[in-house]
C-alpha cells in the first residue's frame, strides 16, 4: 500500500474558509492532520486603534454577521468598566434578552440547516426537508423568532445599531415587549418538540476526555456576567483570562489558536456551558433534560447538537422572564470619558468571547485584544480529528473525509471571527494549502 493524503479542500456548511488535510502512511497510521484556515485576516484589533470608545461597539459588530450582538455586548461591558458606567436593572435585563436572541437564531441556523443533515444522512437541508418538513419548519420559525428579538431591541436583524454605552438609543414600548412574550410562548412547543426529536438521535460514539470552559454565575445561566470556569477547577475573573490562556500560531492557519498555559486544549460552547452550568438552566429546560434522560457529564462532542437545542428551550423561557421583570421606566446614564483598561467575557453562541481595551484620557483606543470562541476551539478540533481518524482509518478515503468534516462542523466554527488578528508572518498569511 502507499501513503494516502485525504483532503477536504473546502469545508461546507460552516462560516468562513477552511479545509482538512490528513496524511496516512502505508499501514494507514496517522502521520499528520491539519485543519487549514485560509480565510484572509481582517485586522480588527488594528482597525480599532485610534477610534473613539463610542465607535467600538458598532465596529466590532462587523466581525461577525451571525453573532454581532455578542461582540457588541463584550465591548460595551469592558468599556463601561473603564468609564465607570453601571447600567441599571432595565438595561441589564434587556441586554440579556438581546444576547439570548443571538443564541436562538444562531443555534437554530446551525442545528436545523447545517448540522442535522449530517446526523440524519442527508447532503443538505433541502434533501432533509423532503422527509422532515415539520422539523425544518420548526427550525425556521425558531430562527425567525431570534431575528425578530434582535431587530426589536437592536434596530435591525444583522449588525444592530441601538446598543450604546450605558444602554440603548431607543427601547420598544411595553406593548411591543408584551407582544414579544406572546411570540416567545408560542414557539416553546416548537423548541420542546425539536429537542425531543434530537434527543432520540443515534449520535456517533466517542472515547477520550477533554477540558471544558465557560462563563459561570451562581444565580443565573451565565451570558454576560460571572467568572470563567473550567471542568478542571480553574475559576478566573475576566482580567485574569490572559494570565492562564495563551494564543499561538501554526504555519498553516490564518487564525490563532488557544490553550491553557499549563498545557491542555479546551472546548468552549453550548456543551461546555450545559455541563458546567446545568443547575442554572431555566426550570422547564431542566425538567425537559431530566425527562428525556439527557446526560451531559461525558466527553462526547457530538452531544453539542442536543446542548444547543436545550439552550434554545432555556433561552425562550429566560427571555420571557427577563422581559416581564424589566422595569418600564427608561434609565438615563451619564458618564465622563477617561483613560484606563479593562476586560470582559460574554458567552457568544459558539462559546466564551474575550475582549480587552486600553483607552487614553480622551477616550481613544490605544490597544485592543479579542479572542473569539472559534480561536479557542480550533486546536481542540484538530485534536478531535487525531482521536477520530485512527478508528476509521480502514474506511475508504471519501468516508474518512466525510466523517472528519462532520466532526469539524459539529463545533459550528465561525472562521471569519477567528481571523481578525494583527501580528502575523506575512509570507504565510496569503498562502493556500496545496
Amino acid at each position: 500500500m502507499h501513503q494516502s493524503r485525504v483532503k477536504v479542500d473546502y469545508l461546507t456548511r460552516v462560516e468562513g474558509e477552511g479545509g482538512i488535510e490528513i496524511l496516512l502512511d502505508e499501514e494507514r497510521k496517522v502521520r499528520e492532520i491539519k485543519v487549514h484556515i485560509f480565510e484572509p485576516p481582517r485586522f480588527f484589533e488594528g482597525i480599532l486603534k485610534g477610534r473613539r470608545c463610542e465607535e467600538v461597539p458598532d465596529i466590532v459588530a462587523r466581525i461577525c454577521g451571525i453573532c454581532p450582538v455578542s461582540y457588541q455586548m463584550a465591548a460595551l461591558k469592558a468599556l463601561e468598566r473603564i468609564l465607570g458606567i453601571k447600567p441599571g436593572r432595565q438595561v441589564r435585563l434587556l441586554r440579556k434578552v438581546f444576547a439570548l436572541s443571538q443564541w436562538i437564531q444562531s443555534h437554530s441556523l446551525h442545528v436545523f440547516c447545517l448540522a442535522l443533515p449530517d446526523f440524519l444522512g442527508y447532503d443538505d437541508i433541502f434533501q432533509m426537508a423532503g422527509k422532515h418538513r415539520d422539523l425544518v419548519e420548526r427550525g425556521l420559525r425558531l430562527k425567525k423568532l431570534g431575528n425578530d428579538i434582535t431587530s426589536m431591541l437592536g434596530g435591525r436583524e444583522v449588525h444592530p445599531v441601538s446598543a450604546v454605552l450605558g444602554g440603548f438609543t431607543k427601547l420598544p414600548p411595553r406593548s411591543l415587549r408584551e407582544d414579544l412574550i406572546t411570540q416567545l410562548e408560542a414557539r416553546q412547543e416548537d423548541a420542546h418538540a425539536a429537542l425531543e426529536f434530537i434527543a432520540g438521535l443515534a449520535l456517533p460514539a466517542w472515547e477520550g476526555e477533554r477540558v471544558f470552559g465557560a462563563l459561570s454565575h451562581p444565580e443565573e445561566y451565565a451570558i454576560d456576567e460571572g467568572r470563567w470556569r473550567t471542568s478542571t477547577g480553574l475559576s478566573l475573573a475576566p482580567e485574569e483570562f490572559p494570565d492562564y490562556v495563551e494564543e499561538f500560531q501554526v504555519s498553516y492557519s490564518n487564525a490563532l489558536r488557544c490553550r491553557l498555559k499549563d498545557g491542555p486544549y479546551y472546548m468552549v460552547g453550548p456543551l461546555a456551558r450545559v455541563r458546567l452550568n446545568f443547575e442554572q438552566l431555566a426550570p422547564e429546560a431542566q425538567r425537559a433534560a431530566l425527562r428525556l434522560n439527557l446526560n451531559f457529564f461525558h466527553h462526547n462532542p457530538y452531544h453539542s447538537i442536543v446542548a444547543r437545542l436545550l439552550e434554545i428551550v432555556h433561552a425562550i423561557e429566560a427571555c420571557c422572564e427577563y422581559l416581564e421583570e424589566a422595569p418600564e421606566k427608561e434609565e438615563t446614564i451619564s458618564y465622563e470619558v477617561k483613560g484606563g483598561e479593562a476586560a470582559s467575557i460574554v458567552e457568544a453562541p459558539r462559546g466564551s468571547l474575550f475582549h480587552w481595551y486600553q483607552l487614553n484620557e480622551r477616550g481613544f483606543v490605544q490597544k485592543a485584544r479579542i479572542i473569539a470562541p472559534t480561536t479557542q476551539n480550533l486546536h481542540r478540533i484538530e485534536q478531535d480529528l487525531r482521536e477520530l481518524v485512527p478508528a476509521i482509518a480502514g474506511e475508504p478515503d471519501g468516508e474518512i473525509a466525510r466523517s472528519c468534516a462532520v466532526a469539524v462542523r459539529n463545533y459550528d466554527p465561525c472562521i471569519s471571527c477567528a481571523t481578525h488578528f494583527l501580528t502575523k508572518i506575512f509570507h504565510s498569511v496569503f498562502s493556500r494549502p496545496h
Side-chain angles (χ1 to χ4, degrees):
M1 296 186 66
H2 302 286
Q3 282 191 347
S4 179
R5 193 174 296 274
V6 180
K7 297 179 70 176
V8 178
D9 290 327
Y10 290 90
L11 284 162
T12 58
R13 286 185 271 142
V14 300
E15 202 287 335
E17 297 178 340
I20 303 169
E21 185 175 8
I22 302 164
L23 179 62
L24 302 173
D25 67 12
E26 294 82 354
E27 297 177 346
R28 304 290 282 180
K29 292 182 178 177
V30 176
R31 289 296 175 226
E32 189 174 67
I33 291 181
K34 295 178 178 176
V35 177
H36 294 285
I37 301 299
F38 43 84
E39 173 95 11
R42 299 183 295 158
F43 308 115
F44 266 91
E45 282 114 327
I47 293 170
L48 289 168
K49 284 186 177 180
R51 307 306 294 255
R52 283 188 59 84
C53 55
E54 294 90 343
E55 297 178 283
V56 173
D58 283 340
I59 294 173
V60 297
R62 269 63 179 178
I63 291 176
C64 185
I66 301 173
C67 49
V69 172
S70 302
Y71 281 90
Q72 286 185 322
M73 293 299 102
L76 287 168
K77 292 197 71 72
L79 294 169
E80 286 172 350
R81 290 186 64 192
I82 297 174
L83 301 173
I85 300 171
K86 295 182 178 178
R89 181 171 172 77
Q90 181 197 48
V91 169
R92 289 179 59 235
L93 292 177
L94 292 181
R95 280 183 175 175
K96 293 181 191 300
V97 175
F98 199 30
L100 287 172
S101 72
Q102 295 280 265
W103 287 21
I104 295 172
Q105 60 171 289
S106 179
H107 284 357
S108 299
L109 174 66
H110 175 75
V111 169
F112 296 98
C113 302
L114 307 180
L116 199 48
D118 286 333
F119 298 112
L120 293 177
Y122 298 101
D123 289 337
D124 52 47
I125 186 176
F126 303 107
Q127 277 191 5
M128 189 177 80
K131 189 172 181 181
H132 298 280
R133 183 184 178 92
D134 286 350
L135 192 61
V136 171
E137 289 181 343
R138 289 186 192 280
L140 295 178
R141 286 194 292 267
L142 290 168
K143 175 75 169 65
K144 183 178 185 303
L145 174 66
N147 287 13
D148 288 345
I149 301 171
T150 302
S151 180
M152 187 191 74
L153 288 170
R156 58 191 191 193
E157 295 175 4
V158 180
H159 302 319
V161 293
S162 68
V164 294
L165 291 169
F168 295 87
T169 56
K170 185 179 181 181
L171 284 173
R174 184 72 194 179
S175 59
L176 282 182
R177 281 188 253 170
E178 290 173 352
D179 288 345
L180 185 56
I181 292 173
T182 302
Q183 292 179 46
L184 284 158
E185 290 173 343
R187 295 282 75 80
Q188 284 180 330
E189 194 272 337
D190 281 330
H192 280 275
L195 175 63
E196 188 164 341
F197 177 86
I198 287 174
L201 288 176
L203 297 171
W206 191 274
E207 294 184 2
E209 298 185 352
R210 67 190 60 231
V211 176
F212 296 97
L215 203 61
S216 288
H217 191 283
E219 298 177 358
E220 64 180 28
Y221 195 75
I223 312 166
D224 57 352
E225 298 178 59
R227 296 176 66 84
W228 193 77
R229 289 178 51 215
T230 68
S231 53
T232 53
L234 203 59
S235 177
L236 305 174
E239 60 269 19
E240 297 174 310
F241 189 77
D243 296 332
Y244 291 84
V245 174
E246 64 178 354
E247 292 177 286
F248 64 99
Q249 182 83 57
V250 294
S251 61
Y252 50 87
S253 173
N254 289 348
L256 294 174
R257 298 169 179 220
C258 282
R259 63 189 166 210
L260 297 175
K261 288 187 176 178
D262 60 0
Y265 311 120
Y266 60 96
M267 178 178 184
V268 297
L271 186 58
R273 288 193 291 259
V274 172
R275 180 186 173 96
L276 294 173
N277 302 316
F278 184 85
E279 297 298 324
Q280 282 74 38
L281 281 168
E284 283 300 322
Q286 280 196 46
R287 279 193 282 273
L290 295 173
R291 177 171 54 81
L292 295 170
N293 199 27
L294 302 182
N295 175 18
F296 297 102
F297 292 91
H298 50 67
H299 298 264
N300 187 337
Y302 293 116
H303 284 252
S304 292
I305 191 170
V306 186
R308 280 190 172 86
L309 235 308
L310 185 61
E311 283 197 335
I312 293 176
V313 172
H314 162 82
I316 291 174
E317 192 175 351
C319 281
C320 290
E321 179 183 337
Y322 293 144
L323 286 166
E324 288 171 350
E325 291 183 0
E328 176 64 20
K329 186 177 180 181
E330 292 192 23
E331 302 160 359
T332 302
I333 298 285
S334 59
Y335 62 91
E336 293 184 2
V337 171
K338 59 183 179 180
E341 61 182 59
S344 70
I345 298 176
V346 304
E347 285 294 326
R350 293 166 183 78
S352 308
L353 170 62
F354 172 84
H355 280 221
W356 173 88
Y357 298 95
Q358 183 184 73
L359 302 182
N360 67 15
E361 293 302 319
R362 295 184 298 139
F364 288 86
V365 176
Q366 300 296 288
K367 294 180 181 177
R369 187 178 181 189
I370 298 170
I371 304 177
T374 297
T375 302
Q376 297 174 68
N377 275 335
L378 261 178
H379 221 64
R380 183 59 250 184
I381 291 173
E382 204 168 79
Q383 181 61 29
D384 276 8
L385 299 186
R386 291 193 182 95
E387 295 174 13
L388 169 65
V389 173
I392 60 174
E395 298 181 9
D397 288 357
E399 186 57 29
I400 295 173
R402 192 201 69 82
S403 296
C404 288
V406 170
V408 174
R409 198 156 40 238
N410 176 64
Y411 279 79
D412 192 18
C414 186
I415 294 171
S416 296
C417 284
T419 55
H420 58 263
F421 53 88
L422 178 63
T423 55
K424 181 73 176 73
I425 302 171
F426 278 85
H427 70 78
S428 64
V429 165
F430 301 105
S431 66
R432 297 274 298 273
H434 299 290

